[in-house]
Amino acid sequence: MYLVILFAAIAAFLALRLYSVLGKRTGHEQPLPRPAEERVGAPQMPRTIDMPPEVRETGPRAVETGAEGGLRALVAADPAFDVNQFVEGAKSAYRMILEAFWKGDRETLDWLVEPDVRESFVEAIDAREAAGETLDNRLISIERAAISDIALEGRVARITMRFDADIAAITRDKDGNVIAGSLSDAVETHDVWTFSRDLASGDPNWKLSDTDEA
């Protein structure tokens, strides 16, 4: 069985950090580069290929209708996959990756995202630092997080998540003066992130392999 390595690490990590330093693009500040969870750990409990009943009950759907076929194929290929654990891990990844990007934390990005995505992030960070600008962002809330697509390419699984969030952010110049945005007004944002994992690998973790806007 896979060990849920990252979920425990995520919980400990997030407990030590203030949500006030988290962020997301809002239109007020530098957009995320393209191509763009933290790794999302594989779950422990085996699942059947039937749609999990909790996905169909009240509340926001964890899996959108168009992704149900892909989910069945993924569970058939990896019976240990659990929808709810993945979604919760993806939400934590969303926070951690954004925090690393806003802070210019290249080391953290190394183990959260695929190499080509990291390169795009680092290029944007380098440009921001060269301009003497810093980002002051706050993730107010994640209103919705759901799987919108699942694809299998050989043994490589790709899960696309849609995140609807409220964000407040500002951009400061080298002297600390606000040049864009506001921390008093939250902006509704809609993002589409794709996480990938080689099912044949012994590594149970998922990495961010692409970002886009909904």
Side-chain angles (χ1 to χ4, degrees):
M1 292 189 300
Y2 297 122
L3 296 177
V4 191
I5 300 172
L6 257 309
F7 288 126
I10 292 167
F13 182 85
L14 294 178
L16 296 176
R17 299 202 179 189
L18 296 176
Y19 286 143
S20 62
V21 299
L22 301 176
K24 176 66 183 60
R25 65 181 178 279
T26 71
H28 291 307
E29 71 291 334
Q30 184 185 53
L32 288 174
R34 298 183 190 179
E37 145 184 2
E38 158 193 17
R39 308 173 183 183
V40 181
Q44 296 177 341
M45 299 302 294
R47 307 283 293 189
T48 69
I49 63 173
D50 295 328
M51 284 296 296
E54 62 270 22
V55 174
R56 298 187 180 278
E57 295 176 355
T58 59
R61 288 177 58 89
V63 181
E64 295 180 354
T65 302
E68 292 179 355
L71 175 60
R72 293 187 179 95
L74 175 57
V75 173
D78 181 8
F81 182 79
D82 181 273
V83 172
N84 289 335
Q85 284 189 335
F86 179 88
V87 171
E88 288 305 308
K91 289 164 65 177
S92 295
Y94 184 72
R95 294 182 176 96
M96 290 183 68
I97 293 174
L98 291 173
E99 180 182 39
F101 176 68
W102 299 135
K103 287 186 171 182
D105 186 350
R106 299 167 178 79
E107 183 176 353
T108 296
L109 290 172
D110 282 343
W111 58 275
L112 299 181
V113 305
E114 295 289 357
D116 58 335
V117 177
R118 181 191 181 281
E119 181 178 354
S120 296
F121 275 121
V122 169
E123 287 178 359
I125 291 170
D126 289 344
R128 189 172 71 221
E129 292 178 348
E133 297 177 351
T134 58
L135 300 177
D136 185 0
N137 309 286
R138 296 184 183 182
L139 175 60
I140 305 303
S141 65
I142 297 176
E143 297 297 324
R144 181 171 180 265
I147 295 173
S148 61
D149 187 63
I150 300 177
L152 290 176
E153 301 174 6
R155 292 292 294 175
V156 176
R158 303 187 189 281
I159 300 180
T160 300
M161 291 284 304
R162 177 184 170 112
F163 297 99
D164 299 330
D166 290 330
I167 304 297
I170 63 175
T171 301
R172 300 182 186 275
D173 63 18
K174 62 183 179 180
D175 298 318
N177 300 312
V178 175
I179 58 177
S182 170
L183 286 179
S184 61
D185 297 320
V187 177
E188 184 178 314
T189 62
H190 308 283
D191 292 304
V192 177
W193 284 19
T194 299
F195 300 94
S196 302
R197 175 177 173 259
D198 184 350
L199 301 181
S201 171
D203 186 351
N205 300 306
W206 299 74
K207 287 188 175 183
L208 178 66
S209 57
D210 190 31
T211 70
D212 203 347
E213 294 184 32

